[in-house]
Amino acid sequence: MLANLAGEAKGRVWIVKNGTTADATSMLDIMALACPAGTEITVSIDDETDLDTLERIEDLVRSGFGE
């Protein structure tokens, strides 16, 4: 779900965990971060026109991915 939302962005979307950065459009990169429930991450965008996408990703993460 996260990779699909990030893929809608015009610019790049990044996830950072403990100093490690991953491409949020890559499921492999996301899985390599190994973020179990409760892990603190930072999501950032390269293009400010993607603020809506960033907010939707924030909502998805805060909701526990709908689970």
Side-chain angles (χ1 to χ4, degrees):
M1 289 186 271
L2 193 149
N4 286 337
L5 274 177
E8 295 175 9
K10 293 178 180 132
R12 303 292 300 264
V13 181
W14 306 99
I15 302 171
V16 181
K17 174 192 151 199
N18 296 332
T20 302
T21 302
D23 179 348
T25 63
S26 168
M27 290 183 61
L28 290 175
D29 279 9
I30 294 169
M31 291 179 2
L33 282 181
C35 297
T39 301
E40 187 171 317
I41 61 169
T42 301
V43 181
S44 63
I45 54 174
D46 284 345
D47 187 332
E48 68 181 43
T49 63
D50 291 320
L51 283 174
D52 180 59
T53 300
L54 181 61
E55 290 173 0
R56 290 172 40 215
I57 290 171
E58 179 185 11
D59 291 344
L60 178 67
V61 172
R62 287 188 188 274
S63 76
F65 294 85
E67 294 182 8

